[in-house]
Amino acid sequence: MPLVRIDALRVDKARLEALGRAVHEALMETIGIPPDDLFQVLVGHDGVNSTLRYGDYLGVHRDEGIVYIAITLRAGRTPDRKRALYRRIAELAEQYAGTEPRNVFVTLTENASIDWSLGNGVAQYVPSSTD
């Protein structure tokens, strides 16, 4: 049950939607999330009232086409699965939204099953105890 946040600079609704679709499809293909497991926060920044900062770090030149993708998910994926996810997100972001792969910045934050409540004040992934 990933929660995805995508931040992009000077984008319209169609491009944000395309980025969201790219990330969702990559998650389904590489780590096997179900199609209806779609929880995303899509944010466009205008560059004036809100903006994104970026630099040329580790030899990757970034520019105003930068897209930050933050994914929170339960722990347990192998390094190979994570690499496949990063690669597929970059491929699909380019295909669907025209975002150059060098501008696709992805972070994963892992947590435990108890760290999720999907509604109704219940930790759905962890059975209730009778303590």
Side-chain angles (χ1 to χ4, degrees):
M1 190 346 268
L3 172 62
V4 175
R5 179 180 170 121
I6 300 172
D7 289 85
L9 190 57
R10 295 184 190 92
V11 294
D12 60 17
K13 181 180 178 185
R15 183 155 177 247
L16 270 177
E17 292 289 333
L19 289 165
R21 184 170 58 124
V23 172
H24 188 65
E25 286 185 20
L27 285 164
M28 288 189 303
E29 290 176 19
T30 61
I31 66 171
I33 69 163
D36 63 343
D37 191 348
L38 179 60
F39 298 92
Q40 298 182 336
V41 179
L42 308 175
V43 182
H45 300 269
D46 65 11
V48 176
N49 297 306
S50 64
T51 194
L52 301 177
R53 304 230 186 257
Y54 51 88
D56 291 350
Y57 183 65
L58 294 178
V60 180
H61 173 70
R62 296 167 193 87
D63 59 28
E64 289 192 356
I66 188 77
V67 174
Y68 290 111
I69 300 166
I71 303 171
T72 304
L73 70 170
R74 292 184 291 163
R77 277 61 178 209
T78 66
D80 285 342
R81 287 260 178 140
K82 292 176 184 180
R83 286 183 188 99
L85 175 62
Y86 304 146
R87 187 172 39 255
R88 193 64 177 141
I89 288 172
E91 291 168 355
L92 292 176
E94 183 175 36
Q95 181 181 340
Y96 295 164
T99 301
E100 294 180 59
R102 65 185 173 87
N103 278 322
V104 177
F105 188 108
V106 181
T107 63
L108 295 181
T109 302
E110 297 180 308
N111 59 21
S113 294
I114 191 61
D115 297 318
W116 293 87
S117 173
L118 309 179
N120 295 323
V122 176
Q124 285 86 351
Y125 291 131
V126 180
S128 296
S129 64
T130 58
D131 299 90

